[in-house]
């Protein structure tokens, strides 16, 4: 077995000076990366705690001179955050549910049922990843404005968010690749015990796919939560707009500190979701990249 070559040799690391230099460089790099990612968050959180005059002054202050919590309370009331946060939750939850059901079913069919022309269908689905998202905005809008066959409009309706979210080629491919790596022996044993295809999916495949389902769930929720252009087009009713659109629409006559506070509040759910499920996210990504 050949030795693993690294940038710093084991002999150098064994010396006190080499070890000190190595850990100094390592700690410095980690600290710089942490500052690069965390400082904008710190700046946003503390910016909402400053007075309007302090946040506009030059040079800026790193720490607020006077701490004002009124920015957060004003943002909660003036910008109607509870209503718009609830709109976002409804839209994100519906898009997540539709994706989990339909993308999982499609990925299972392409992976385990192997329909005729399955590879052609999969190739066509993956080809949509090469089309810029902006090029699909107009066709999607015309579709939801006058739904084919039914001739009904989905504008100002959560279905205008839910239905387009189902056509997610990336999540479908991620699920299919995971299903391809599931042990065939387990599925054959379930078939010998009399389990049908749907029973196998529900009782065998889905419990084994919790890591990748967690990753797909995060992707689905974040995509809807941070989307701006599409909700702006389909929700002309301000009372039904999600938080991403409302922050822009209601920011015209709002103080900068109040707007920053609203941005902080709007980001808390997704940050909290990641912190709670970060282990599952990492496990799902690593599970999808190795053969089982």
């Amino acid at each position: 077995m050949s030795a693993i070559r690294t940038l710093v040799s084991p002999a150098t690391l064994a010396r006190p000076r080499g070890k000190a230099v190595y850990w100094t460089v390592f700690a410095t790099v980690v600290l710089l990366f942490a500052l690069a990612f965390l400082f904008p968050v710190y700046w946003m959180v503390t910016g909402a705690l400053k007075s309007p005059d302090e946040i506009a002054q030059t040079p800026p202050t790193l720490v607020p001179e006077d701490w004002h919590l009124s920015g957060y309370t004003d943002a909660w009331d003036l910008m109607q955050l509870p209503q718009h946060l609830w709109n976002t939750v409804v839209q994100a939850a519906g898009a997540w549910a539709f994706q989990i059901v339909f993308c999982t079913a499609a990925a299972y069919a392409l992976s385990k049922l192997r329909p005729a022309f399955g590879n052609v269908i999969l190739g066509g689905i993956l080809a949509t990843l090469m089309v810029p998202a902006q090029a699909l905005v107009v066709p999607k809008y015309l579709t939801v404005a006058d739904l084919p066959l039914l001739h009904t409009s989905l504008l100002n309706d959560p279905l205008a968010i839910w239905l387009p979210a189902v056509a997610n080629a990336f999540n479908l491919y991620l699920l299919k690749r995971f299903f391809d790596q599931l042990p065939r022996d387990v599925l054959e044993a379930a078939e010998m015990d009399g389990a049908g295809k749907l029973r196998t999916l529900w009782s065998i495949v889905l419990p084994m796919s919790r890591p990748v389902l967690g990753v797909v769930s995060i992707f689905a929720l974040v995509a809807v939560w941070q989307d701006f252009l599409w909700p702006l087009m389909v929700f002309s009713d301000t009372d039904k707009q999600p938080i991403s659109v409302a922050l822009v629409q209601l920011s015209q006559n709002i103080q900068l500190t109040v707007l920053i506070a609203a941005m902080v509040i709007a980001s808390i759910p997704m940050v909290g979701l990641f912190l709670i499920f970060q282990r599952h996210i990492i496990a799902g990504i690593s599970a999808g990249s190795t053969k089982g």
Side-chain angles (χ1 to χ4, degrees), residues 17-48:
R17 181 179 178 182
K19 186 179 296 186
V21 172
Y22 172 80
W23 284 110
T24 300
V25 174
F26 178 78
T28 302
V29 172
V30 171
L31 180 61
L32 290 176
F33 270 93
L35 287 175
F37 284 99
L38 296 179
F39 183 76
V41 178
Y42 166 80
W43 191 259
M44 182 173 62
V45 173
T46 57

Side-chain angles (χ1 to χ4, degrees), residues 54-65:
E54 183 181 357
I55 199 172
Q57 76 180 31
T58 304
T61 56
L62 289 177
V63 180
E65 297 174 355

